[in-house]
Amino acid sequence: MGSTRHRPPRRLVGVLAAVAVAFTLFSSATTTAGAADTAVTAAQATTTRSAAVQPLSTSTPVVFVHGYTGNASNWVTAMSVFRANGWSSSNLFAYEYNSYGNNITNAQGLASYVNTVKAKTGASKVAIVNHSMGGLVSQYYLKVLGGNTSVSHLASIAGANHGTTYASACLVYTTCQQMYPGSSFISQISSGDETPGDTKYATWYSACDGVIIPYTSTRLDGATNNNVACQTHIGYLTDTAVLGQIARFVAS
């Protein structure tokens, strides 16, 4: 008598077939989902890279404002650094004023100068880079005279923004009286909002300054305040590293 072949029950065959189909569908879905996740991840990475690599703008005219006893020649190195960072010489300007006069008059002169630069370049706004007492001139222009509507960026290098006791050496002049801590001029530009409008504000200050006393006087509430490890008051004017930071700030 020959052997009898046992066939698996039909129900078991059906179950195995169903499992096979389900596994196939699951594998397909997993592969598709994985591809979708990869696509989303790639898209997110592209978006992140695009957000991180924003083009810098070097078309904004820059007005440099010197400090006490200074002049346009103070900005020779700064202009060279700005040119190296993409600015055209035709968009770099130096405002000169009377260091021994009155900073209100000097600020009014800055307002006129900015309007002249805007008309000459066709720009709606300029950036201002100041040094030392130029901080007072700039702050009065932006805050009291409403100049913030014409200024995209303000960079204050060792600005005497809250005064300096060093000004006691020249109190015979109105500008130095205004620059002394606690003066009515200082109170006017520091009361309330120190960084008005949509202007981007940044300062650079250092404990090694030696002229702005206290050195933290440069800081402005609401600004990006950069504490430089050690730089002298005049040394900033030839510090290509700091000036490069300022150029990139203005381009942001």
Side-chain angles (χ1 to χ4, degrees):
M1 185 174 184
S3 62
T4 303
R5 179 177 296 178
H6 295 283
R7 298 176 183 271
R10 290 184 178 180
R11 179 176 297 177
L12 178 59
V13 172
V15 170
L16 292 174
V19 170
V21 171
F23 179 78
T24 302
L25 292 175
F26 175 77
S27 299
S28 177
T30 301
T31 302
T32 303
D37 287 344
T38 301
V40 170
T41 302
Q44 289 174 337
T46 300
T47 301
T48 301
R49 285 194 299 270
S50 296
V53 186
Q54 292 295 332
L56 299 179
S57 173
T58 58
S59 60
T60 302
V62 182
V63 175
F64 296 92
V65 184
H66 65 74
Y68 181 70
T69 73
N71 55 53
S73 67
N74 292 163
W75 301 111
V76 170
T77 301
M79 289 188 177
S80 175
V81 170
F82 270 71
R83 285 193 297 271
N85 278 272
W87 266 266
S88 165
S89 295
S90 61
N91 272 335
L92 301 175
F93 302 86
Y95 170 61
E96 293 188 315
Y97 60 88
N98 181 6
S99 292
Y100 313 106
N102 187 311
N103 281 322
I104 294 176
T105 303
N106 293 335
Q108 292 168 339
L110 177 59
S112 297
Y113 190 81
V114 167
N115 287 337
T116 299
V117 169
K118 287 167 60 180
K120 182 176 182 178
T121 61
S124 59
K125 292 186 177 184
V126 305
I128 288 180
V129 177
N130 66 57
H131 177 246
S132 193
M133 194 172 75
L136 301 187
V137 177
S138 302
Q139 286 300 105
Y140 195 93
Y141 165 55
L142 266 74
K143 181 169 181 176
V144 181
L145 302 182
N148 62 82
T149 58
S150 292
V151 179
S152 63
H153 297 72
L154 177 95
S156 187
I157 310 171
N161 299 323
H162 294 96
T164 172
T165 57
Y166 199 86
S168 61
C170 56
L171 290 177
V172 64
Y173 300 112
T174 298
T175 50
C176 289
Q177 295 169 17
Q178 293 168 329
M179 190 163 45
Y180 197 81
S183 70
S184 59
F185 186 96
I186 296 292
S187 297
Q188 191 172 12
I189 63 172
S190 61
S191 63
D193 188 359
E194 293 188 341
T195 52
D198 296 328
T199 304
K200 293 182 179 180
Y201 295 79
T203 73
W204 282 260
Y205 66 103
S206 174
C208 298
D209 187 293
V211 173
I212 301 302
I213 305 171
Y215 72 95
T216 52
S217 170
T218 298
R219 294 172 57 92
L220 292 171
D221 288 340
T224 299
N225 298 296
N226 301 281
N227 190 346
V228 179
C230 190
Q231 184 53 275
T232 63
H233 191 67
I234 299 301
Y236 281 110
L237 298 176
T238 54
D239 188 332
T240 55
V242 169
L243 293 171
Q245 292 174 18
I246 293 168
R248 289 187 290 276
F249 163 71
V250 172
S252 67

